[in-house]
Amino acid sequence: GDSARITAVPCLSPALFDDFDPGLDGSMWALTQSNVGPDAQCGAVSGTNALVFNGATGRAIISNPIDVSNGGTVSFWIKEGTGTFNNCDRPDLGDDIVLEYSINGGVAWVQIGTNYQPGNYSNWTFIEETIPPAAQTIATQFRWTQVGFSFQGGDNWAIDDVMIQCCGNSCANYAYNWTPNVGISDPS
């Protein structure tokens, strides 16, 4: 008889997506620090809220562990403050945001990409980083943190529409293609 060829193609599938509307999705995040939370103060890409870095002590948000063992991407929109105190205050030089990963439960963090520095993000800017091979584990955490700031309510940053996409088996999302495509039906 005839033969058929079936190909399973892994798709990118969101392992985490948060647009911070109507608030922070607590099922996705292990930790938020010091008034890092949803707010309309700096605007938003979608909806009303973005995640605003605004507190008096360490400013960070950390994801729950995610299986990215087959790689993927981390994407988000970022904007620096452009106003004045308590109104999405403009950050000073050195008040950078960094994206990091941990493969040991947050004991050590490794930076992905570059520092996001004031002066480059006065408008919402899309960022996409490839998950580095060293970060590709079954329980990787991701952290956005502000490395410097002068005072509570000032030196603000905001991020929105955060998405972590994984590849292959860890997402269990495939597209199936077969040839010939005539005379064969999808039994599901």
Side-chain angles (χ1 to χ4, degrees), residues 66-79:
I66 298 171
D67 183 348
V68 291
S69 56
N70 290 312
T73 59
V74 177
S75 63
F76 57 97
W77 290 83
I78 189 168
K79 182 180 187 289

Side-chain angles (χ1 to χ4, degrees), residues 4 10 15 27 31 35 45 54-55 57 61 64 84 99 101 103 109 123 126 137 143 153 168 175:
S27 70
L31 175 70
N35 293 335
V45 173
N54 198 29
T57 58
I61 186 166
N64 284 323
T84 56
L99 170 61
Y101 71 87
I103 59 172
W109 294 94
N123 296 307
F126 182 74
T137 74
R143 173 173 79 172

Side-chain angles (χ1 to χ4, degrees), residues 6-97:
I6 299 175
T7 307
V9 180
C11 302
L12 282 176
S13 178
L16 178 149
F17 177 79
D18 201 347
D19 62 3
F20 309 107
D21 286 304
L24 188 71
D25 185 341
S27 70
M28 298 182 189
W29 303 104
L31 175 70
T32 59
Q33 293 179 322
S34 187
N35 293 335
V36 174
D39 197 312
Q41 175 182 10
C42 295
V45 173
S46 64
T48 304
N49 293 324
L51 187 80
V52 177
F53 293 77
N54 198 29
T57 58
R59 295 177 178 181
I61 186 166
I62 301 170
S63 75
N64 284 323
I66 298 171
D67 183 348
V68 291
S69 56
N70 290 312
T73 59
V74 177
S75 63
F76 57 97
W77 290 83
I78 189 168
K79 182 180 187 289
E80 65 188 74
T82 55
T84 56
F85 177 70
N86 279 335
N87 190 22
C88 200
D89 182 56
R90 181 181 307 279
D92 301 318
L93 290 178
D95 295 339
D96 303 352
I97 291 285

Side-chain angles (χ1 to χ4, degrees), residues 94 96-99 111-118 120-121 147 157:
D96 303 352
I97 291 285
V98 295
L99 170 61
Q111 186 170 329
I112 299 174
T114 185
N115 285 21
Y116 307 108
Q117 301 173 337
N120 297 316
Y121 304 97
V147 297
W157 285 90

Side-chain angles (χ1 to χ4, degrees), residues 116-139:
Y116 307 108
Q117 301 173 337
N120 297 316
Y121 304 97
S122 58
N123 296 307
W124 284 105
T125 304
F126 182 74
I127 304 290
E128 183 174 70
E129 301 283 0
T130 300
I131 297 171
Q136 295 175 13
T137 74
I138 62 168

